[in-house]
Amino acid sequence: MAFLLFEAVPAQRVARAKLRLSVSGQEGSDGGYWPFEVYAVPPRDPAALTWNDSPRHEGDWMGLVDASSLPDAEPRGSYELDVTGHVAKAAAAGSQVAFRVEGLPDRDWTLSLDGAEIAVFDEDPVPDLGPTAPAEAASAGAGLWLRYGEFSGQAEARKLAGVAYEPGGEVLQAAVDELRTYAGAEVPATRNPVPGGVLLGTPDNPAVQDALRQAGREREVRELGAEGYVLTRTADEVLLIASASEVGVLYGVFHLLRLLRLGTEASTLDIAEKPAVQHRLNHHWDNFPSTAARDGWGTIERGYAGHSPWQLDLPLSEVAARYREYGRLNASVGLNGAVLNNPNATTDWIEPQNLPRLAGIADSLRPYGIRLYLALRFDSPMALRELDTADPFDPRVRDWWRRTLDRVHQHIPDLGGVLVKGDSEGEPGPLRYGRTHADGANMFAEILRPHGGIVLWRAFVYGDALEDPDPDRSKQAYELFVPQDGKFAENVILQSKHGPWDFQPREPVTPLFGATPRTNTGIELALSKEYTGHTTHANYPIAEFERIFGFDTRAGGRRTTIADVVDGSAFGYTRTLAVAVHNPGTDRNWTRMPTDQANWYGFGRLAWSPRSSARECAAEWARLALGAEAAAAAEIADWLVDTDEVFRRYAQPLGIPFTSSEEYHFKNEPEAWEDSANGATPTGLGYDRTRAGSGYSALYPEPTAGRYERLASTPAELVLFLHHVRYDQVLPHTGETLAQSMYDSTFAGVEGVRGLIGRWERLEGRIDPDVCRVQRWMLRRQLSEAINYRNVLNRYVRTRSGIADKRGRDSALREPPVADVPDQQVRPGAPVTGARGTAPGRAYLLPADLARTGRWEREDRLLLAADGFRGTRAETGEHFDLRAPAEPGEYRLHVVNDQGFASEPSRGVVRVVG
Ligand code: GCW
């Protein structure tokens, strides 16, 4: 399934526009075509297009190109659409036009305009921050938490008397380099340790061996395994970092530097650590930059910080520094792998001509202990037109994959493994060939075993590809995979999202955890903010991850937390995994929103040790990345932890899932998922997953099953995920009706954002100023968007329930205000006559050229666009006094109601003459 956006075309150059769509419909390359549609999207800077621009959601001139004549299943052949009207409108606006096609599989179709093929422009474009975003929006906080020596308070600690080591491999070298980056290149490097210096290495180094023997810790180092380490101070006042392998030494170095930068006294150091989970990965949902090429930068599905960092056109030397930074960042928090590409995979990642380029990435990351993994398209042999089946039991198919993956290994000998999303969301999988998921996974497992590789088999499977799928999507993965427990090969890990549905801000932990004791099962979490506010909403999910890891599944009738399942201890899993969907991009600061860095940091620390505290991770990050002193760091940690709850209150009150728009998952559109996901009926909300409903609650062992079965014992944040509630029903959790509870939660959420802004502003002068400014700017955007979320949801509840907000806030639901003023010419400071607007709220005279920039739904956006606020402002009532601004020019009137909604600019213009 592809949502693709096409290259924008300068509209003026196209007189009569025919769009020709040809679909090969190659037999079997994708079994389930979805109905497809072609849209024309708005005429403005294509780089600024967002999913917001989907014609389903807004816009007046955009329209569905007449696709009524097109078939809605298994399309094949060529179709001609007349799009002259759309292009003419774009031309009249002096702009560009882009086309978007939805619903066709990747790479099976082409689109041309006036005979010329249009290249793929983009998929999931990065949200536009608008013209008034601070210039540093993409670079604030660059360097992330590895900003050595940038903050005065931490400078003192940077003294190391020397670095002692025996030359070794490239990982050890990276460890040594890191110490010298921290302490300065002038630090003497020696073979023998000096007091006050560091000695690092494996027991192969005689000095390390000696030190370990003297400390009586040789055995301990062996037992800690390849990634574990001992970090201690010897009797000779040497800081010893020892591990059985170089990568453990590297982790030890990062641990030491973290502690020194946090002000830990070197004399107190005595640490022995190893990671709880073996495979600690980022999963990038990146698309290959071949067809989607924009100078070699690929696009990202659900990425909000630029394009894919995997640059495959430029010489490696030009991007290697960036890759190294990626490697350092990950290694410093203990992550050891990266799945490079989108699970909705194309075959590009395994095609021979591309392998040398992928090898360049692997080579750059190897010194940091990062191994690459590739997501595979299950029917690749067919998609590449080399075989007519992808049946895993067909010897030709197995042979094809063996040859293909052997070739990958020639370029990337230490490939960590592969990932497959099968039979889900239109992706091909084994069920198409009458085989089970275990059959599909085990084929890859067998091929990878000699290479030491693993198979990450995604449990995110639902929908029509399943035989007789349960009407409640939440049950489908459980019902598919539990019967196959024990059938997966030893080097397969079943990779399950943390909840049964799909990365909602709150979901119950999936009952699959604990129900597959004989299948290595790992957890997939989301750092990418697909459902949690994209670029502009602060959201630190680590606190929720901490709760997830602490959730007691009661599997086997005893205390068995998710941490116990994931680290393998509960069931003796031989392979363990914690992976986060994580889509950092080409932005200099990788994440765009500065505080999203904390999410990356926190995930790394939790994957290493799932029993870590989210708050402590946050405080560490604030000190390391922002230069916060202890008090400010504690405030930031509390702030980060609160962001998640604030977001939930306005975006997912009482756990109502899927109030977002269907495709791009940002803006609120509760109608989009009625009953299929959120269980809406004319009289109430929520999906009944009790025994009387879908029976989902019964998938859990007791006492969870019983707790979820009853409304009163269901946690407030899961109420509507698990129960259908009438709008007029009083909830025990709030003592109010459902309708009133929704109003109260969403209003509290918006107030929560105001609170976050206030608290953030108190950090000014106490942390990195760029980060402070950029984050503050984004928080104001968040406020305007949160108001919108609140109003959309409340309007929905109000309309359906007929229940008024007993706290009298219905004005929030009013339509946007109107502004009106006659054309006139006035002197600066003189009264403006006849200004009118709907009340109550505020009125603004703002530069007239703002009117061209777009619709200003919300006050914050309006003011941001006013560029430092050139204009005047007044409180509005029926009548209000507004004076002409001091600066000569043309102005228009805007009115903003008391809920922050801004009117369109007035038609009349106030000309101020000096
Ligand atoms: O939530 C859905 C996303 C898709 C994603 C899918 C998945 C990669 O909307 O964009 O596809 O989950 O996890 O496979």
Side-chain angles (χ1 to χ4, degrees):
M1 172 68 179
F3 296 123
L4 295 174
L5 192 65
F6 274 78
E7 189 173 48
V9 179
Q12 297 90 328
R13 281 200 245 127
V14 186
R16 283 212 53 77
K18 292 248 196 260
L19 204 59
R20 218 178 144 73
L21 175 66
S22 41
V23 186
S24 79
Q26 164 87 4
E27 187 88 62
S29 70
D30 190 302
Y33 286 114
W34 294 14
F36 68 88
E37 296 164 330
V38 182
Y39 299 108
V41 293
R44 55 190 176 90
D45 176 9
L49 288 174
T50 74
W51 285 105
N52 220 349
D53 300 316
S54 169
R56 292 224 186 117
H57 305 294
E58 58 181 75
D60 43 6
W61 75 273
M62 298 172 284
L64 179 65
V65 170
D66 181 14
S68 54
S69 59
L70 302 180
D72 62 4
E74 298 264 347
R76 208 164 300 217
S78 292
Y79 308 94
E80 207 163 65
L81 310 169
D82 193 340
V83 292
T84 312
H86 295 89
V87 176
K89 277 183 194 156
S95 188
Q96 301 184 305
V97 63
F99 295 93
R100 191 171 110 185
V101 177
E102 289 188 359
L104 284 172
D106 287 345
R107 308 191 75 202
D108 192 28
W109 45 286
T110 55
L111 199 57
S112 57
L113 196 55
D114 278 354
E117 190 174 327
I118 314 172
V120 173
F121 154 55
D122 223 333
E123 179 166 339
D124 252 23
V126 178
D128 168 28
L129 288 182
T132 60
E136 315 79 21
S139 62
L144 292 88
W145 53 86
L146 297 179
R147 303 171 68 180
Y148 301 156
E150 283 189 43
F151 309 113
S152 53
Q154 296 167 4
E156 232 351 69
R158 299 175 73 214
K159 289 183 196 137
L160 292 176
V163 176
Y165 69 105
E166 289 280 347
E170 57 185 354
V171 178
L172 187 79
Q173 195 53 49
V176 171
D177 291 348
E178 197 64 36
L179 282 169
R180 305 187 79 175
T181 305
Y182 170 77
E186 65 285 355
V187 172
T190 53
R191 292 211 155 166
N192 291 318
V194 292
V198 178
L199 166 64
L200 69 161
T202 64
D204 291 346
N205 175 338
V208 171
Q209 170 115 81
D210 263 9
L212 285 173
R213 192 177 314 118
Q214 274 171 33
R217 305 185 82 160
E218 291 166 284
R219 184 153 154 225
E220 191 180 8
V221 163
R222 262 199 314 280
E223 286 172 357
L224 286 168
E227 294 185 313
Y229 50 87
V230 164
L231 166 55
T232 189
R233 185 133 112 155
T234 67
D236 308 326
E237 294 185 15
V238 170
L239 288 167
L240 171 69
I241 304 169
S243 167
S245 85
E246 293 190 358
V247 75
V249 176
L250 179 68
Y251 292 140
V253 165
F254 278 117
H255 195 158
L256 171 69
L257 297 184
R258 179 167 77 233
L259 293 177
L260 294 180
R261 293 181 65 211
L262 292 173
T264 310
E265 264 301 316
S267 57
T268 64
L269 288 179
D270 189 18
I271 289 164
E273 271 214 23
K274 65 174 185 180
V277 177
Q278 293 162 2
H279 302 282
R280 308 175 298 280
L281 316 183
N282 289 312
H283 185 175
H284 298 257
W285 284 0
D286 292 13
N287 299 313
F288 196 84
S290 55
T291 48
R294 280 227 140 176
D295 309 323
W297 302 106
T299 58
I300 304 178
E301 181 151 337
R302 321 294 183 190
Y304 313 108
H307 283 92
S308 164
W310 318 130
Q311 164 51 270
L312 299 173
D313 274 5
L314 294 174
L316 182 62
S317 57
E318 286 186 36
V319 278
R322 187 80 176 147
Y323 292 164
R324 269 200 305 280
E325 184 182 4
Y326 175 83
R328 286 179 63 215
L329 288 166
N330 283 309
S332 71
V333 291
L335 295 171
N336 65 2
V339 188
L340 285 192
N341 61 312
N342 194 338
N344 302 330
T346 59
T347 54
D348 303 277
W349 305 85
I350 48 171
E351 288 176 38
Q353 72 279 13
N354 297 329
L355 296 177
R357 307 198 278 175
L358 299 183
I361 302 175
D363 294 345
S364 310
L365 300 184
R366 194 170 291 113
Y368 295 98
I370 312 288
R371 293 174 80 174
L372 298 195
Y373 298 71
L374 294 174
L376 303 179
R377 182 185 164 96
F378 189 80
D379 72 353
S380 295
M382 297 170 76
L384 286 168
R385 320 234 191 284
E386 294 184 19
L387 294 179
D388 58 3
T389 176
D391 179 355
F393 281 9
D394 188 314
R396 292 171 304 152
V397 172
R398 298 178 96 84
D399 187 53
W400 188 93
W401 277 113
R402 181 167 288 114
R403 278 184 285 115
T404 301
L405 292 173
D406 282 353
R407 191 168 53 218
V408 174
H409 280 97
Q410 280 159 22
H411 292 268
I412 310 174
D414 55 352
L415 184 80
V418 303
L419 175 146
V420 179
K421 165 180 177 179
D423 300 306
S424 182
E425 302 190 328
E427 295 302 309
L431 298 181
R432 260 184 215 177
Y433 309 93
R435 309 299 176 194
T436 66
H437 275 243
D439 295 336
N442 294 348
M443 169 183 72
F444 293 109
E446 187 188 307
I447 295 170
L448 290 176
R449 192 171 303 114
H451 299 282
I454 59 170
V455 179
L456 307 174
W457 192 264
R458 282 182 101 221
F460 180 70
V461 182
Y462 70 94
D464 295 343
L466 304 180
E467 199 183 316
D468 195 18
D470 194 285
D472 180 1
R473 177 175 146 184
S474 307
K475 295 170 70 184
Q476 294 176 8
Y478 183 99
E479 289 175 347
L480 178 69
F481 287 105
V482 171
Q484 292 180 72
D485 185 29
K487 302 216 165 80
F488 288 87
E490 184 278 326
N491 57 334
V492 175
I493 305 179
L494 189 61
Q495 172 175 321
S496 173
K497 289 190 185 185
H498 61 80
W501 198 285
D502 186 7
F503 291 156
Q504 297 303 288
R506 286 291 183 283
E507 279 186 49
V509 176
T510 173
L512 194 61
F513 290 120
T516 51
R518 292 176 301 142
T519 303
N520 300 323
T521 305
I523 195 166
E524 178 179 313
L525 298 158
L527 295 181
S528 180
K529 287 155 69 190
E530 176 182 358
Y531 291 103
T532 46
H534 292 194
T535 303
T536 44
H537 295 240
N539 195 300
Y540 178 69
I542 308 300
E544 178 65 3
F545 296 175
E546 182 187 340
R547 283 188 287 274
I548 290 169
F549 279 122
F551 177 82
D552 186 359
T553 65
R554 297 302 298 174
R558 60 190 145 82
R559 182 176 159 80
T560 307
T561 64
I562 298 296
D564 300 332
V565 174
V566 170
D567 74 10
S569 58
F571 305 119
Y573 289 160
T574 57
R575 316 271 179 159
T576 56
L577 166 80
V579 51
V581 175
H582 188 196
N583 291 329
T586 41
D587 282 0
R588 185 67 199 89
N589 68 3
W590 295 91
T591 57
R592 189 159 303 180
M593 176 175 276
T595 55
D596 285 357
Q597 296 177 7
N599 304 358
W600 189 348
Y601 184 89
F603 169 67
R605 307 279 278 117
L606 251 65
W608 181 278
S609 168
R611 293 164 190 85
S612 306
S613 143
R615 184 177 259 100
E616 273 169 31
C617 293
E620 281 178 14
W621 170 79
R623 298 192 63 180
L624 300 173
L626 307 184
E629 296 294 336
E635 283 170 49
I636 294 169
D638 289 339
W639 186 95
L640 281 167
V641 167
D642 290 347
T643 55
D644 186 47
E645 177 64 13
V646 165
F647 181 83
R648 187 190 68 76
R649 286 191 176 199
Y650 63 80
Q652 205 198 359
L654 295 155
I656 180 76
F658 284 93
T659 54
S660 57
S661 60
E662 204 176 336
E663 298 144 2
Y664 88 118
H665 300 160
F666 181 67
K667 197 172 166 178
N668 253 12
E669 193 183 305
E671 296 86 355
W673 296 84
E674 274 181 344
D675 50 282
S676 72
N678 60 31
T681 61
T683 51
L685 270 180
Y687 199 108
D688 184 359
R689 297 196 159 93
T690 66
R691 282 168 211 268
S694 76
Y696 168 84
S697 62
L699 302 183
Y700 292 89
E702 293 297 351
T704 307
R707 183 149 33 98
Y708 288 174
E709 182 67 16
R710 290 181 303 276
L711 179 66
S713 53
T714 297
E717 73 269 16
L718 296 178
V719 160
L720 297 177
F721 197 99
L722 296 165
H723 300 271
H724 184 74
V725 182
R726 283 192 332 273
Y727 284 120
D728 61 0
Q729 196 174 331
V730 173
L731 287 170
H733 308 77
T734 59
E736 299 284 359
T737 62
L738 171 63
Q740 188 62 44
S741 307
M742 297 292 274
Y743 304 144
D744 290 348
S745 175
T746 51
F747 273 93
V750 169
E751 284 323 299
V753 180
R754 288 191 220 278
L756 292 176
I757 294 177
R759 286 158 71 188
W760 188 264
E761 284 172 346
R762 287 200 285 281
L763 295 167
E764 209 177 315
R766 301 161 72 200
I767 59 168
D768 175 312
D770 283 356
V771 168
C772 194
R773 188 169 51 253
V774 168
Q775 187 73 33
R776 178 169 177 274
W777 184 88
M778 287 178 173
L779 286 166
R780 291 181 57 192
R781 274 284 280 270
Q782 178 177 356
L783 177 61
S784 68
E785 281 156 1
I787 289 172
N788 191 44
Y789 274 52
R790 179 194 71 194
N791 291 356
V792 168
L793 203 54
N794 288 354
R795 220 175 271 155
Y796 177 91
V797 172
R798 176 74 177 81
T799 318
R800 283 179 175 56
S801 68
I803 299 173
D805 179 358
K806 72 177 193 189
R807 299 185 221 291
R809 294 166 296 194
D810 282 359
S811 65
L813 313 180
R814 269 210 293 272
E815 288 306 307
V818 180
D820 187 13
V821 72
D823 284 338
Q824 59 196 289
Q825 188 160 313
V826 285
R827 300 206 157 272
V832 171
T833 49
R836 278 209 311 271
T838 51
R842 284 166 300 282
Y844 294 94
L845 272 181
L846 291 170
D849 53 4
L850 274 184
R852 282 208 306 274
T853 339
R855 296 172 26 162
W856 300 106
E857 266 191 319
R858 272 131 16 224
E859 182 174 18
D860 302 55
R861 292 226 180 154
L862 181 71
L863 295 182
L864 289 169
D867 193 20
F869 190 64
R870 289 180 292 128
T872 51
R873 162 188 152 134
E875 296 300 312
T876 67
E878 277 299 304
H879 304 283
F880 48 90
D881 291 326
L882 204 50
R883 305 235 151 213
E887 201 179 315
E890 292 195 347
Y891 294 83
R892 287 179 202 265
L893 178 70
H894 300 252
V895 189
V896 176
N897 75 9
D898 59 355
Q899 298 303 331
F901 277 92
S903 67
E904 294 285 339
S906 61
R907 244 179 271 158
V909 175
V910 177
R911 197 160 289 113
V912 180
V913 287

